[in-house]
Each structure stands twice: as C-alpha cells, then as structure tokens.
Amino acid sequence: LEMKGNIRVFCRVRPPNANEIEAGNASPGAVSVPEDTEMRSLDLSLDGGEAKGDKKALTHSFAFDRVFDPSAQQEEVFSEITQLVQSALDGYKVCIFAYGQTGSGKTHTMLGGAGGSEGEVGTQAGMIPLS
C-alpha cells in the first residue's frame, strides 16, 4: 500500500457533551466545517471585541488532510487510519498522536465509549479496539 505522505494531519470536531447541551451551549459556535466533499478545511471565528464602538470578528481558516465534523462516527475515522495499522503490522514504525485540550475527545477517539459486551467491540469502539 502506498501512503499519501509521511505525515498526515486530521482534525475531529467533537459534538457538544451532555453538560453543554444542558447549559444551553450546544451550538457549534466558533467552529464551522464547510459542507464540501473533501472535508479538508475548518474555519474558526473569534469575537475580537470592540474597538471605537465597532464590533470586530476575526476568522481564521485552517487546512488539514481531513476534517471530521461532529456527526462523524468512529468507523469513519478508523477508515482513514487502516493503512497505518496495516503498515504497523507489516513491521513499519507508525505513530498516531492525539492532541487537544482537556475534554476535546482524544480518549473517546482512541479508546471509544460504551457499547458492546465483554469481549466484543461495540459500535462506539475507538481506534485502539478497532485495530
């Protein structure tokens, strides 16, 4: 299998959690994922405050090899790393690095959530159990 490159950068936008929904903060807010089929960019809008009575909003665009929106399932993310798993099984050195602030969904992506009974891989299984 031929890899797309030595380093690939993915971004996964997590859905709001139960506490955010309960507090009324369930809107995606500052992060917007364009509705394109490539899913390679992400826009971040920040309130720049007011200067001389003018409210300013700052927007920053970021490009990635792949962006997973909040509705993305674990299987969809896993399908993007299957080549890496195969490379590891073939004896190549592979590293998957999950980075983000506390509560951003790193553990959920890598280990998964509840699902499946003892010894079975559930529908919310993460990258490690699916491998």
Side-chain angles (χ1 to χ4, degrees), residues 3 5 37 43 47 51 62 67 81 92 96 101 104-105 107-108 110 117 128:
M3 298 298 292
T37 56
D43 294 329
D47 181 7
F62 298 92
V67 175
I81 68 159
Y92 292 96
I96 296 176
Q101 73 182 51
S104 63
T107 302
H108 177 74
M110 297 306 293
S117 58
I128 295 170

Side-chain angles (χ1 to χ4, degrees), residues 74 78 107-113 121-131:
Q74 296 284 59
F78 182 70
T107 302
H108 177 74
T109 296
M110 297 306 293
L111 294 178
V121 177
T123 59
Q124 288 298 313
M127 304 310 102
I128 295 170
L130 289 172
S131 296

Side-chain angles (χ1 to χ4, degrees), residues 15-32:
N17 61 34
N19 293 335
E20 292 168 335
I21 293 170
E22 187 176 306
N25 297 330
S27 69
V31 178
S32 62

Side-chain angles (χ1 to χ4, degrees), residues 12-74:
R12 186 175 192 186
V13 180
R14 72 165 176 80
N17 61 34
N19 293 335
E20 292 168 335
I21 293 170
E22 187 176 306
N25 297 330
S27 69
V31 178
S32 62
V33 179
E35 302 264 341
D36 65 0
T37 56
E38 291 291 317
M39 298 291 289
R40 293 177 178 262
S41 65
L42 180 75
D43 294 329
L44 178 65
S45 299
L46 302 171
D47 181 7
E50 289 188 31
K52 298 184 181 178
D54 295 330
K55 191 170 187 175
K56 296 187 178 197
L58 304 171
T59 301
H60 301 282
S61 295
F62 298 92
F64 299 95
D65 291 304
R66 178 71 196 271
V67 175
F68 298 96
D69 67 8
S71 65
Q73 299 296 310
Q74 296 284 59

